[in-house]
Amino acid sequence: MGNRKASTAATISDVAKEAGVSTSTVSYVMSGNRPISKETRDIVEAAMRRLKYSPRSSARALASSRSNVLGLVVPLRADVNVGVVMQFVTAVVTTARSFNQDVLLLTQDDAGSIERVTSQSMVDGLLMMDIEARDPRIPVLARLQKPAVLIGMPDDARGLSCVDFDFAGASRTAVRHLAELGHRGIAFIGSPPASLRRHATYADRALRGFEEACRALEVHHVAVACEANSPDLARALDKVFAGPGPITALLVHNEGLLPILRENLAVHGFSVPGDISVAVIAPADVAKAAVRPWTFVPIPAMDIGRAAVEMVMDRLSLEKPAELRLIGPTLTAGETTAAVR
């Protein structure tokens, strides 16, 4: 503690780490909006002095004119899983509350709403979800120079901060697990075709990680996009099992398919995991909700949403260079993967 060079600009997250408290506690100490014990206040203020932390003077001058509202841009497209999206929304709203911020939800798929709420000073900062590789909204955000964080990793962030789950790493982790069980033929059932056509970054990166891992491990592989319905899943499975090499395992990155996956595999004569092993990339609660829990790599929506709010609040309180934060994957083995017989 206390070894930070004076020339390095400290952030509210740095103060929280130095003091051993949450960023919201530091925020409460500075704002006085909630009662904090004298002992905690003293610890936080001492950490601020050691790090020479001070919210930028312009931010203090503007504090009285702030809206105390963050804008959350979440286009509700037909190819996204609304249940998963709402986990991110809940994380953002819950964390924003700890900073005494309200959240304005913007669901239009255009840049006009972003310009409208910023031009009218309706929000102090913005968070934007469902990022595409070459997202047309990003140049608008960069031009507005409003504190903003992208929940996703585009090809060019234009100087904006980004936070996301390592979807490519998630696929690599799952493929390694299946390969270690002896599977030499693995199929990837991914996002709906529309997600891949518009290059939603989560869909592109999960597919790329799968293909890279299979090539590196010399595993026979096939990948198909799939809508979240039984007819499309049936067609996808037909394609998977009609290929030239045997498939003994599936990696599924499409939460909407999980309630109907076992039934459709049974129609093809496959039991799980007796005939085929299945691993999924999905939120933990979704994977665990099955009667026989899936082997899964969890999408940490709460961690990502929390980090996004903390990052935008950092940029509100102190000028800070753009930050890229990628949350790494873990794997929980369930009842749906087994060694090849």
Side-chain angles (χ1 to χ4, degrees):
M1 297 172 67
N3 293 325
R4 174 179 291 273
K5 293 180 181 179
S7 60
T8 302
T11 70
I12 190 172
S13 295
D14 296 327
V15 173
K17 184 176 180 180
E18 179 82 2
V21 299
S22 67
T23 52
S24 57
T25 297
V26 178
S27 176
Y28 295 147
V29 168
M30 291 190 296
S31 68
N33 287 330
R34 287 193 183 180
I36 299 292
S37 70
K38 183 179 184 304
E39 179 183 7
T40 299
R41 180 178 295 277
D42 289 345
I43 291 172
V44 170
E45 290 177 345
M48 293 170 67
R49 287 193 296 272
R50 285 195 299 273
L51 299 181
K52 296 180 171 55
Y53 173 82
S54 175
R56 69 174 186 242
S57 58
S58 60
R60 283 180 169 175
L62 292 171
S64 61
S65 63
R66 281 187 179 168
S67 65
N68 290 327
V69 176
L70 300 177
L72 176 59
V73 185
V74 190
L76 296 180
R77 300 183 173 103
D79 58 295
V80 301
N81 186 295
V82 176
V84 176
V85 167
M86 289 310 298
Q87 291 198 14
F88 286 91
V89 172
T90 299
V92 167
V93 171
T94 302
T95 307
R97 186 183 303 136
S98 72
F99 286 97
N100 291 302
Q101 301 286 313
D102 286 320
V103 176
L104 175 64
L105 192 62
L106 306 173
T107 60
Q108 295 298 317
D109 185 15
D110 63 71
S113 58
I114 296 173
E115 293 188 284
R116 184 175 67 256
V117 299
T118 53
S119 65
Q120 297 176 8
S121 299
M122 296 171 65
V123 299
D124 298 323
L126 285 159
L127 302 99
M128 191 162 72
M129 288 184 58
D130 197 19
I131 304 301
E132 297 175 359
R134 298 182 180 180
D135 202 303
R137 300 168 296 173
I138 291 175
V140 175
L141 274 184
R143 185 179 71 249
L144 293 172
Q145 297 184 332
K146 178 75 71 171
V149 174
L150 308 178
I151 300 178
M153 295 285 177
D155 290 347
D156 182 0
R158 301 287 188 95
L160 300 172
S161 289
C162 304
V163 58
D164 203 6
F165 180 49
D166 184 0
F167 284 96
S171 289
R172 288 192 292 267
T173 298
V175 169
R176 282 196 298 268
H177 170 73
L178 294 168
E180 287 168 0
L181 292 172
H183 295 281
R184 309 309 301 167
I186 305 174
F188 180 84
I189 300 181
S191 300
S195 298
L196 293 170
R197 284 195 298 269
R198 63 185 180 84
H199 294 288
T201 58
Y202 57 86
D204 279 355
R205 285 160 40 219
L207 175 58
R208 183 170 65 249
F210 168 77
E211 293 175 335
E212 289 172 351
C214 288
R215 286 194 294 266
L217 294 169
E218 298 182 343
V219 170
H220 167 67
H221 59 283
V222 61
V224 292
C226 191
E227 300 287 353
N229 60 62
S230 284
D232 210 53
L233 177 56
R235 287 189 290 269
L237 293 176
D238 285 341
K239 181 177 179 180
V240 164
F241 296 122
I247 297 296
T248 61
L250 300 179
L251 173 57
V252 180
H253 177 218
N254 188 324
E255 299 86 357
L257 295 175
L258 300 188
I260 58 176
L261 183 57
R262 281 190 177 90
E263 176 185 349
N264 276 269
L265 285 169
V267 170
H268 282 74
F270 293 103
S271 65
V272 180
D275 300 308
I276 191 160
S277 287
V278 179
V280 307
I281 301 171
D285 63 326
V286 175
K288 292 178 180 179
V291 174
R292 298 178 64 190
W294 303 97
T295 289
F296 68 99
V297 180
I299 299 174
M302 286 301 298
D303 293 341
I304 295 168
R306 184 183 306 113
V309 174
E310 291 173 353
M311 289 163 69
V312 79
M313 294 306 296
D314 269 350
R315 301 202 80 178
L316 274 169
S317 62
L318 185 73
E319 289 289 355
K320 184 180 178 182
E323 178 182 0
L324 303 179
R325 191 181 302 182
L326 206 58
I327 297 178
T330 60
L331 183 139
T332 299
E335 300 179 23
T336 59
T337 52
V340 176
R341 293 178 177 178

